[in-house]
Amino acid sequence: MKLISATLVLFALFFTFSANAQTKTDTISKTNTSFERGKEYNLGGISVTGLKKFSEETVKVFTGLRNGQLIKLPGDKLTSAIKKLYESKQFSNVDVYLSKLDGNTVYLEFDVQELPQLNEIKITGIKTSKAKELKKEAELKLGAMVTDNLIVTTKNYFTKKYTDKGFLKTKVNLDIQKDTSDLNVVNMNIFIDKGSKIKIKNIVFTGNKALTGKSIRKAMKNTKEKLFGRFWKGSKYIEEEYQEDLEAILDKYSRLGYRDARILREGISWNKDNTIDINIDLEEGKQYRFADILFVGNKEYTDEQLRAILRIDKGDIYNGAVLKERVKGDGSPTSEDLSTMYQDTGFLFSQVNAVETRVVNDSITVEIRIREDEKARIRKVTVTGNDKTNDHVIFRELRVKPGDLFSRSNIIRSIREIGQLGFFDQNVSPDVIPDYQNKTADIDFTVIEQGGSQIELQGGYGGGAFIGTLGLSFNNFSIRNLFNKDAYKPLPMGDGQNLALRLQTSRTFSTYSFSFTEPWLGGKTPQSLSFSVYSSNQYQLNPQTFDVDRDRSLGIIGASIGLGKRLTWPDDFFQLSQTISYQSFKLNDYGFRVGADILDNGTLNNLAYNATLTRNSTGPSLIFPTRGSEFTIAIKATIPYSLLNNRDYTIADGLSAVETSAAIAEKYKWLEYYKLSFKGKWYTAFTDKLVLMSNAEMGYLGFYNSEVGLSPFERYFVGGDGIAVFQLDGREVVGLRGYENNRLSPLEGGSIYNKFQLELRYSITDAPSASIYTLGFVEAGNSYDNFDTFNPFELKRSAGVGVRIFMPAFGLLGIDFAHGFDALPGQIEKSGWQTHFIIGRQF
C-alpha cells in the first residue's frame, strides 16, 4: 500500500529550481514514520506511477539513481534526478514521494506526467505545396513532445516567416487536439491568415535640415518606398532590416560630422489603402570639424609619416567612422591604417587608439595615442589539415618564416598564395598565437583540402561540328613517387606538380596531348619547368556542305619546353615565362588556302621562341576573384630566315596548280613571323558578392619580309564561346559571345584582333563542394586582315547573361545567353540570340 506522505522534492528543490513537486512535512503522518533531514540513507528501490507510453525502467534510467546507493533527504542526488527528468523534455510534471522507510533504507515513488506526442500536423490557409515546405523549414516532426515552448516558437516562426515578406497583418492560430486513436498523442492544427502584402508608401522625416529626405532615404539600403518600376528591391517592412537602416542613417550623419545626431522617435502609421508610412523624427545637432590631431608615443615613425597614412587634416569635417577605419582598419586585407602599418613592421603588441581630448564649439581635438612596445618575431610556423599535400609544397609558398619580424601583410599574402595553389578551399584560416612575455608569435595555417585532380569534360559547337574534350588533369602530382606502389591512392599525389592528358575530337579533327609542369625546379626557388608533346590531325571540311573528307588531312606533331620564374621587381606579383616550341605540319592533299592560292601537299616547320610577362594580383579566390588585376604581355617570334638566306621568295606566274602548291610549300618550309599580344583584367568589388570584371585584349601577327608576307598559320579566329582551343595550326581562338564560333574572322584567320569586355558577377555560393555565380556582360571585338582594314572602333557588339558552376572534380561549367547586335561578315541581319555552353573553360 502506497504511503502517501511527505514529498521528497525535499527542500533542496526549493533552493535550485521549481520542480512542481508536492511539498509537505518531513513526517509521514499516516504511519507516524519520520526521516532525518541531511542523513544518508540506502536507496532500496524506485517505483514510477503516471506512465502511459514509457516503461518504468526507462524512467529509472533517466533519473540516474540506482539501488543501494547512499542518498540524503533532501540532497543533491535527488535534486539531480528530478532535473534530469525535466531536461529529457519528456515530462511536464514530476513529483517525488517517500513510499517506505525501513530502518536506514528508503523507497521512493516518482509520479510523472508525460508530455503528449505530436501525431499529426495540418496547416491550412495556404497552398498544400507551401504547407509541406513550411513543415520542413520549421522542423515540425511527428513524435515530437508538445511543450508550451514548442507551441509558442512554432506560432512565432510562422508569423515572422510572413511578416518578413511584407505580410504585416499575418495571423497564426494553433489548435492542439487530443487524438483518441492512441495514448497521449495530440494533433496540431495550424491556420495561417497572411492577409495582403503591405507596402511602404512614404518614409517621412522631420527635424532634418542639413540633409534632404531623399538623401537620407538613400542611406536606407533595405527599407524602400513603393516605387513603380523598381523590381530589384521591394518596399517590404522587415523589422530587423529596418533597425539596420536606422543605424545606417545615424552613420551617414556621423560621416558628415553630425556626431550628436539621434533619432527621437520612429514608428509606422497605417493608410486607408492598406499601406504604411514610416515616420522618423530626427535631431541633427551641429556639424563638427577636426581641430588639432596630435600623435603621442610614436618613436618608430614621425608625425609626417603617420599623417600620410591617416589622411585627415585640421579643418576637415569630423568623420568618426573614417577616423576609426584609418586608425584600426576597415576589415579588408588591403586596408591602409595606422595599426596595420605598425603590425607590418613587427609591432604585433602595439596599440593605436584615437581619443577625443577637447571639444570647443564645433571643433574636436583628437589624440592618436600609440604604445609601440617591442617588435615581435615569428617563433614557429605550422600547417594543419593537409593530409595529401606534402608540407614543403605549402611552406615554400608562405611569406612568413621562423625568425622573421611579424607582418600582418605577409600573413595575408601567404593566405593568397596557398589559395592560388588550387589544392585547398579558399577559406584558409591562420591562427596567430602571441607570446607577450617573450615577444614572439606562433602562426598556424589551417587548410581544407579539395580535389587535386580534375576531369575535363568540354563541349561546344563550331565549324559545323560538335567539339568534345576528355581530359585528366592531376594538379597535385608527385612524379618522384611514380614507382612507389604504396603512394598510389589512387595516384601518387602531394608534390604540387601538374600532369595532364587530353583528347579532343570532332568530325573535322582529333588531337592528343601530354604535358607536365614542375612549379619549383630543384625545390629551392620558384622557377618552373614545363614540357608538352601533342599530335593532331585535321580533315578537309567543305564549308558549303559540311562534308568531311578524311583522305585529305593536315597532320601536326609538336613539342615545347619552357622555364618560368617569379620576379621580385617591379614587385613580386610578376612572372616571366620563356618557351621554345616546335611544330611539324604535314599536308596531304589538304587544300590549305594561302591568300589566293592553295597549298595541297608539303611539310612545314614552326620553330618559335615565346616570352610572356605576367602580373597577377587577383584574389583571394581563383574561381571568383574580388580584387586585383591580371596583365599579360607576350611576344612569340621565329628566326627571320628570309633576312638571312638571301633567297628569292617570289612565286613565278604561269605555274600549274601543282607547281604553285610546291612553291608555296618551299616558301613556308620554315615559317617566319612575330606575334605581339596584350591582355588585361581588373576586378572591382562593390560588395563581397558583387564584382565587376573589366577586360581588354589585343593581338597582332606581323612579318619580317614583304616578299614572304604573313604566315598562313598562327592566325586569330574571333567569335563564339572560345573553347575550341585545339592544337591545329597555332591558331588563337578568341571568344566573343553572341556570334558563331570563329565567324568574325575570314576562313584563313585574321592578323589583328581586339576585344573589350565588362562582366558583372554575383556570387550565389562559395561552398567547397560547388561555387556558383551569375553574370551579366557586354563585350565588343573584331578581327582584321591587316592595318589597312584595322579600325579599333568598328566592333561587333553583344550582351547577355549567364551562370557558372565550379565543382572541383569537373572544373567550370556554365551557360550563356548572348545577343549579337551586329551582322556577321558578308551578311545583313544581326547575329541575334546565341546560346553558349561552357564546360571546363573560363572567360
Side-chain angles (χ1 to χ4, degrees), residues 802-823:
V803 64
R804 297 289 184 272
I805 302 174
F806 178 83
M807 293 184 290
F810 295 98
L812 198 72
L813 313 175
I815 185 172
D816 290 324
F817 302 97
H819 185 83
F821 296 104
D822 300 293

PDB file of all heavy atoms in Angstrom, residues 802-823:
ATOM      1  N   GLY A 802      24.522  34.903 -67.909  1.00  0.00           N
ATOM      2  CA  GLY A 802      24.980  33.520 -67.812  1.00  0.00           C
ATOM      3  C   GLY A 802      25.122  33.083 -66.374  1.00  0.00           C
ATOM      4  O   GLY A 802      24.871  33.850 -65.431  1.00  0.00           O
ATOM      5  N   VAL A 803      25.524  31.854 -66.194  1.00  0.00           N
ATOM      6  CA  VAL A 803      25.747  31.291 -64.866  1.00  0.00           C
ATOM      7  C   VAL A 803      26.949  30.367 -64.940  1.00  0.00           C
ATOM      8  O   VAL A 803      27.211  29.749 -65.977  1.00  0.00           O
ATOM      9  CB  VAL A 803      24.485  30.536 -64.367  1.00  0.00           C
ATOM     10  CG1 VAL A 803      24.177  29.331 -65.243  1.00  0.00           C
ATOM     11  CG2 VAL A 803      24.656  30.105 -62.911  1.00  0.00           C
ATOM     12  N   ARG A 804      27.716  30.298 -63.853  1.00  0.00           N
ATOM     13  CA  ARG A 804      28.880  29.424 -63.779  1.00  0.00           C
ATOM     14  C   ARG A 804      28.788  28.583 -62.504  1.00  0.00           C
ATOM     15  O   ARG A 804      28.415  29.071 -61.439  1.00  0.00           O
ATOM     16  CB  ARG A 804      30.188  30.230 -63.725  1.00  0.00           C
ATOM     17  CG  ARG A 804      30.455  31.071 -64.959  1.00  0.00           C
ATOM     18  CD  ARG A 804      30.813  30.209 -66.152  1.00  0.00           C
ATOM     19  NE  ARG A 804      31.160  31.047 -67.285  1.00  0.00           N
ATOM     20  CZ  ARG A 804      30.285  31.524 -68.164  1.00  0.00           C
ATOM     21  NH1 ARG A 804      29.000  31.237 -68.017  1.00  0.00           N
ATOM     22  NH2 ARG A 804      30.685  32.265 -69.163  1.00  0.00           N
ATOM     23  N   ILE A 805      29.147  27.318 -62.649  1.00  0.00           N
ATOM     24  CA  ILE A 805      29.210  26.395 -61.519  1.00  0.00           C
ATOM     25  C   ILE A 805      30.575  25.733 -61.554  1.00  0.00           C
ATOM     26  O   ILE A 805      30.952  25.132 -62.566  1.00  0.00           O
ATOM     27  CB  ILE A 805      28.104  25.320 -61.585  1.00  0.00           C
ATOM     28  CG1 ILE A 805      26.722  25.971 -61.621  1.00  0.00           C
ATOM     29  CG2 ILE A 805      28.209  24.371 -60.398  1.00  0.00           C
ATOM     30  CD1 ILE A 805      25.598  24.984 -61.835  1.00  0.00           C
ATOM     31  N   PHE A 806      31.319  25.863 -60.464  1.00  0.00           N
ATOM     32  CA  PHE A 806      32.629  25.221 -60.387  1.00  0.00           C
ATOM     33  C   PHE A 806      32.566  24.082 -59.390  1.00  0.00           C
ATOM     34  O   PHE A 806      32.233  24.271 -58.216  1.00  0.00           O
ATOM     35  CB  PHE A 806      33.716  26.207 -59.965  1.00  0.00           C
ATOM     36  CG  PHE A 806      35.076  25.553 -59.829  1.00  0.00           C
ATOM     37  CD1 PHE A 806      35.871  25.350 -60.945  1.00  0.00           C
ATOM     38  CD2 PHE A 806      35.532  25.122 -58.594  1.00  0.00           C
ATOM     39  CE1 PHE A 806      37.106  24.737 -60.828  1.00  0.00           C
ATOM     40  CE2 PHE A 806      36.764  24.502 -58.468  1.00  0.00           C
ATOM     41  CZ  PHE A 806      37.544  24.311 -59.595  1.00  0.00           C
ATOM     42  N   MET A 807      32.874  22.870 -59.867  1.00  0.00           N
ATOM     43  CA  MET A 807      32.991  21.701 -58.999  1.00  0.00           C
ATOM     44  C   MET A 807      34.406  21.168 -59.129  1.00  0.00           C
ATOM     45  O   MET A 807      34.908  21.015 -60.250  1.00  0.00           O
ATOM     46  CB  MET A 807      31.970  20.637 -59.389  1.00  0.00           C
ATOM     47  CG  MET A 807      30.533  21.067 -59.137  1.00  0.00           C
ATOM     48  SD  MET A 807      29.314  19.770 -59.499  1.00  0.00           S
ATOM     49  CE  MET A 807      29.433  19.707 -61.285  1.00  0.00           C
ATOM     50  N   PRO A 808      35.082  20.926 -58.020  1.00  0.00           N
ATOM     51  CA  PRO A 808      36.500  20.545 -58.069  1.00  0.00           C
ATOM     52  C   PRO A 808      36.794  19.381 -59.008  1.00  0.00           C
ATOM     53  O   PRO A 808      37.839  19.353 -59.650  1.00  0.00           O
ATOM     54  CB  PRO A 808      36.808  20.181 -56.612  1.00  0.00           C
ATOM     55  CG  PRO A 808      35.859  21.002 -55.811  1.00  0.00           C
ATOM     56  CD  PRO A 808      34.604  21.054 -56.630  1.00  0.00           C
ATOM     57  N   ALA A 809      35.889  18.418 -59.121  1.00  0.00           N
ATOM     58  CA  ALA A 809      36.175  17.231 -59.930  1.00  0.00           C
ATOM     59  C   ALA A 809      36.020  17.484 -61.421  1.00  0.00           C
ATOM     60  O   ALA A 809      36.635  16.800 -62.241  1.00  0.00           O
ATOM     61  CB  ALA A 809      35.264  16.079 -59.509  1.00  0.00           C
ATOM     62  N   PHE A 810      35.202  18.504 -61.800  1.00  0.00           N
ATOM     63  CA  PHE A 810      34.896  18.692 -63.209  1.00  0.00           C
ATOM     64  C   PHE A 810      35.288  20.063 -63.743  1.00  0.00           C
ATOM     65  O   PHE A 810      35.173  20.315 -64.940  1.00  0.00           O
ATOM     66  CB  PHE A 810      33.392  18.483 -63.459  1.00  0.00           C
ATOM     67  CG  PHE A 810      32.941  17.086 -63.187  1.00  0.00           C
ATOM     68  CD1 PHE A 810      32.347  16.748 -61.987  1.00  0.00           C
ATOM     69  CD2 PHE A 810      33.133  16.088 -64.127  1.00  0.00           C
ATOM     70  CE1 PHE A 810      31.940  15.452 -61.725  1.00  0.00           C
ATOM     71  CE2 PHE A 810      32.729  14.793 -63.878  1.00  0.00           C
ATOM     72  CZ  PHE A 810      32.127  14.469 -62.675  1.00  0.00           C
ATOM     73  N   GLY A 811      35.733  20.948 -62.884  1.00  0.00           N
ATOM     74  CA  GLY A 811      36.109  22.267 -63.347  1.00  0.00           C
ATOM     75  C   GLY A 811      34.899  23.167 -63.476  1.00  0.00           C
ATOM     76  O   GLY A 811      33.904  23.021 -62.770  1.00  0.00           O
ATOM     77  N   LEU A 812      34.983  24.104 -64.405  1.00  0.00           N
ATOM     78  CA  LEU A 812      33.957  25.127 -64.555  1.00  0.00           C
ATOM     79  C   LEU A 812      32.907  24.699 -65.581  1.00  0.00           C
ATOM     80  O   LEU A 812      33.248  24.304 -66.706  1.00  0.00           O
ATOM     81  CB  LEU A 812      34.586  26.455 -64.976  1.00  0.00           C
ATOM     82  CG  LEU A 812      33.714  27.686 -64.763  1.00  0.00           C
ATOM     83  CD1 LEU A 812      33.599  28.009 -63.285  1.00  0.00           C
ATOM     84  CD2 LEU A 812      34.300  28.882 -65.504  1.00  0.00           C
ATOM     85  N   LEU A 813      31.653  24.787 -65.196  1.00  0.00           N
ATOM     86  CA  LEU A 813      30.530  24.504 -66.078  1.00  0.00           C
ATOM     87  C   LEU A 813      29.700  25.771 -66.175  1.00  0.00           C
ATOM     88  O   LEU A 813      29.576  26.520 -65.212  1.00  0.00           O
ATOM     89  CB  LEU A 813      29.668  23.362 -65.530  1.00  0.00           C
ATOM     90  CG  LEU A 813      30.396  22.103 -65.048  1.00  0.00           C
ATOM     91  CD1 LEU A 813      29.404  21.135 -64.433  1.00  0.00           C
ATOM     92  CD2 LEU A 813      31.132  21.448 -66.193  1.00  0.00           C
ATOM     93  N   GLY A 814      29.110  26.008 -67.344  1.00  0.00           N
ATOM     94  CA  GLY A 814      28.306  27.211 -67.461  1.00  0.00           C
ATOM     95  C   GLY A 814      27.503  27.274 -68.730  1.00  0.00           C
ATOM     96  O   GLY A 814      27.655  26.459 -69.651  1.00  0.00           O
ATOM     97  N   ILE A 815      26.618  28.250 -68.755  1.00  0.00           N
ATOM     98  CA  ILE A 815      25.805  28.510 -69.944  1.00  0.00           C
ATOM     99  C   ILE A 815      25.622  30.015 -70.049  1.00  0.00           C
ATOM    100  O   ILE A 815      25.473  30.713 -69.045  1.00  0.00           O
ATOM    101  CB  ILE A 815      24.452  27.779 -69.858  1.00  0.00           C
ATOM    102  CG1 ILE A 815      23.669  27.961 -71.158  1.00  0.00           C
ATOM    103  CG2 ILE A 815      23.635  28.241 -68.651  1.00  0.00           C
ATOM    104  CD1 ILE A 815      22.421  27.114 -71.233  1.00  0.00           C
ATOM    105  N   ASP A 816      25.686  30.525 -71.286  1.00  0.00           N
ATOM    106  CA  ASP A 816      25.481  31.942 -71.557  1.00  0.00           C
ATOM    107  C   ASP A 816      24.404  32.112 -72.612  1.00  0.00           C
ATOM    108  O   ASP A 816      24.335  31.337 -73.579  1.00  0.00           O
ATOM    109  CB  ASP A 816      26.768  32.602 -72.076  1.00  0.00           C
ATOM    110  CG  ASP A 816      27.833  32.712 -70.997  1.00  0.00           C
ATOM    111  OD1 ASP A 816      27.472  32.939 -69.842  1.00  0.00           O
ATOM    112  OD2 ASP A 816      29.018  32.552 -71.336  1.00  0.00           O
ATOM    113  N   PHE A 817      23.570  33.131 -72.423  1.00  0.00           N
ATOM    114  CA  PHE A 817      22.602  33.544 -73.432  1.00  0.00           C
ATOM    115  C   PHE A 817      23.023  34.938 -73.878  1.00  0.00           C
ATOM    116  O   PHE A 817      22.954  35.890 -73.105  1.00  0.00           O
ATOM    117  CB  PHE A 817      21.189  33.551 -72.860  1.00  0.00           C
ATOM    118  CG  PHE A 817      20.758  32.211 -72.316  1.00  0.00           C
ATOM    119  CD1 PHE A 817      20.856  31.949 -70.960  1.00  0.00           C
ATOM    120  CD2 PHE A 817      20.284  31.220 -73.156  1.00  0.00           C
ATOM    121  CE1 PHE A 817      20.470  30.721 -70.446  1.00  0.00           C
ATOM    122  CE2 PHE A 817      19.899  29.989 -72.662  1.00  0.00           C
ATOM    123  CZ  PHE A 817      19.993  29.737 -71.310  1.00  0.00           C
ATOM    124  N   ALA A 818      23.481  35.036 -75.119  1.00  0.00           N
ATOM    125  CA  ALA A 818      24.074  36.286 -75.592  1.00  0.00           C
ATOM    126  C   ALA A 818      23.368  36.767 -76.851  1.00  0.00           C
ATOM    127  O   ALA A 818      22.968  35.954 -77.705  1.00  0.00           O
ATOM    128  CB  ALA A 818      25.564  36.091 -75.876  1.00  0.00           C
ATOM    129  N   HIS A 819      23.253  38.063 -76.966  1.00  0.00           N
ATOM    130  CA  HIS A 819      22.617  38.676 -78.145  1.00  0.00           C
ATOM    131  C   HIS A 819      23.662  39.471 -78.910  1.00  0.00           C
ATOM    132  O   HIS A 819      24.261  40.410 -78.375  1.00  0.00           O
ATOM    133  CB  HIS A 819      21.480  39.598 -77.713  1.00  0.00           C
ATOM    134  CG  HIS A 819      20.701  40.173 -78.859  1.00  0.00           C
ATOM    135  ND1 HIS A 819      19.688  39.493 -79.490  1.00  0.00           N
ATOM    136  CD2 HIS A 819      20.816  41.359 -79.502  1.00  0.00           C
ATOM    137  CE1 HIS A 819      19.190  40.232 -80.460  1.00  0.00           C
ATOM    138  NE2 HIS A 819      19.858  41.382 -80.488  1.00  0.00           N
ATOM    139  N   GLY A 820      23.905  39.072 -80.163  1.00  0.00           N
ATOM    140  CA  GLY A 820      24.820  39.813 -81.019  1.00  0.00           C
ATOM    141  C   GLY A 820      24.090  40.914 -81.750  1.00  0.00           C
ATOM    142  O   GLY A 820      23.117  40.654 -82.474  1.00  0.00           O
ATOM    143  N   PHE A 821      24.551  42.162 -81.579  1.00  0.00           N
ATOM    144  CA  PHE A 821      23.833  43.313 -82.137  1.00  0.00           C
ATOM    145  C   PHE A 821      24.221  43.620 -83.571  1.00  0.00           C
ATOM    146  O   PHE A 821      23.589  44.459 -84.215  1.00  0.00           O
ATOM    147  CB  PHE A 821      24.091  44.552 -81.265  1.00  0.00           C
ATOM    148  CG  PHE A 821      23.567  44.429 -79.877  1.00  0.00           C
ATOM    149  CD1 PHE A 821      24.425  44.189 -78.803  1.00  0.00           C
ATOM    150  CD2 PHE A 821      22.211  44.542 -79.615  1.00  0.00           C
ATOM    151  CE1 PHE A 821      23.946  44.078 -77.518  1.00  0.00           C
ATOM    152  CE2 PHE A 821      21.717  44.436 -78.329  1.00  0.00           C
ATOM    153  CZ  PHE A 821      22.593  44.193 -77.268  1.00  0.00           C
ATOM    154  N   ASP A 822      25.255  42.960 -84.074  1.00  0.00           N
ATOM    155  CA  ASP A 822      25.748  43.265 -85.422  1.00  0.00           C
ATOM    156  C   ASP A 822      25.703  42.013 -86.292  1.00  0.00           C
ATOM    157  O   ASP A 822      25.561  40.884 -85.807  1.00  0.00           O
ATOM    158  CB  ASP A 822      27.162  43.822 -85.351  1.00  0.00           C
ATOM    159  CG  ASP A 822      27.230  45.102 -84.540  1.00  0.00           C
ATOM    160  OD1 ASP A 822      26.662  46.109 -84.996  1.00  0.00           O
ATOM    161  OD2 ASP A 822      27.823  45.092 -83.445  1.00  0.00           O
ATOM    162  N   ALA A 823      25.853  42.244 -87.603  1.00  0.00           N
ATOM    163  CA  ALA A 823      25.792  41.142 -88.561  1.00  0.00           C
ATOM    164  C   ALA A 823      27.157  40.488 -88.712  1.00  0.00           C
ATOM    165  O   ALA A 823      28.203  41.116 -88.509  1.00  0.00           O
ATOM    166  CB  ALA A 823      25.310  41.661 -89.911  1.00  0.00           C
TER     167      ALA A 823
END
